[in-house]
Amino acid sequence: PAAAQPLLLVSEEEAARERAAAPAAVVARSAPQPGAPTIKVLAPLLGSEPLGNPIRIELVFAAGPDAQIDPASFRAQYGALRIDLTNRIVARVTVERTGLKVDNVVIPSGNHRLLLRIADTRARTGEVELRFAVQ
C-alpha cells in the first residue's frame, strides 16, 4: 500500500533552496478572527531535541460552535518560499473535519518551517506554524 512507502514531504533540493533564500521579510499577521478554527498539533512532539525520520504528523482541527471545518480548505506550505506541500499530503491521507494523520514522513536534515492552514464553512481561517529541526 502507498501508506507503507515513505512520504518525502520536502526534497533535498527544496530544503537547499530554502536555506539559500534570503531571510524572509517579517510578515505582519493579524490576530485570529473571532471564532476561527484551531489546529492542535499532536505529533510531532516539538521541543529542543531534533526529530528523527520517519516523522508522524497528526493534527486535530476544531471549529467554532457556529461552523464546521472545511476539509478541502487545508493547506500546507514550506518555509519562507511558501512551497505548497498540500497535494503531497492529500495524495496520501484524507483530510477529515476532525484532522489528519500521516505516518512515515521523511524530511531532510536541517531546520524547517511548515505553515498549516484550515478554514471553516464561514470562510474563517486558522493557522499554525511549526518550526523544528531534523537530525
Side-chain angles (χ1 to χ4, degrees):
Q5 296 296 317
L7 169 60
L8 182 61
L9 190 59
V10 177
S11 71
E12 291 284 353
E13 187 241 339
E14 289 165 332
R17 283 186 11 223
E18 178 66 21
R19 284 190 300 272
V26 175
V27 176
R29 289 198 176 155
S30 59
Q33 297 167 288
T38 60
I39 302 172
K40 181 177 181 182
V41 180
L42 298 184
L45 294 176
L46 300 177
S48 59
E49 297 294 317
L51 301 174
N53 282 309
I55 297 166
R56 180 171 58 106
I57 298 173
E58 186 172 358
L59 308 174
V60 174
F61 307 138
D66 60 343
Q68 293 185 330
I69 294 295
D70 174 10
S73 70
F74 175 75
R75 296 292 176 267
Q77 295 176 318
Y78 177 66
L81 298 176
R82 300 287 172 107
I83 297 168
D84 192 347
L85 305 177
T86 307
N87 289 338
R88 297 176 201 182
I89 295 170
V90 300
R92 175 67 65 94
V93 298
T94 301
V95 179
E96 305 282 347
R97 286 190 169 142
T98 54
L100 68 84
K101 180 170 74 170
V102 58
D103 292 309
N104 208 13
V105 174
V106 177
I107 299 175
S109 296
N111 294 313
H112 303 283
R113 186 173 78 182
L114 295 178
L115 180 64
L116 307 170
R117 288 192 178 116
I118 195 76
D120 65 20
T121 52
R122 296 188 60 179
R124 296 175 296 204
T125 302
E127 64 181 38
V128 65
E129 183 179 81
L130 306 182
R131 291 177 183 252
F132 58 92
V134 176
Q135 50 180 317

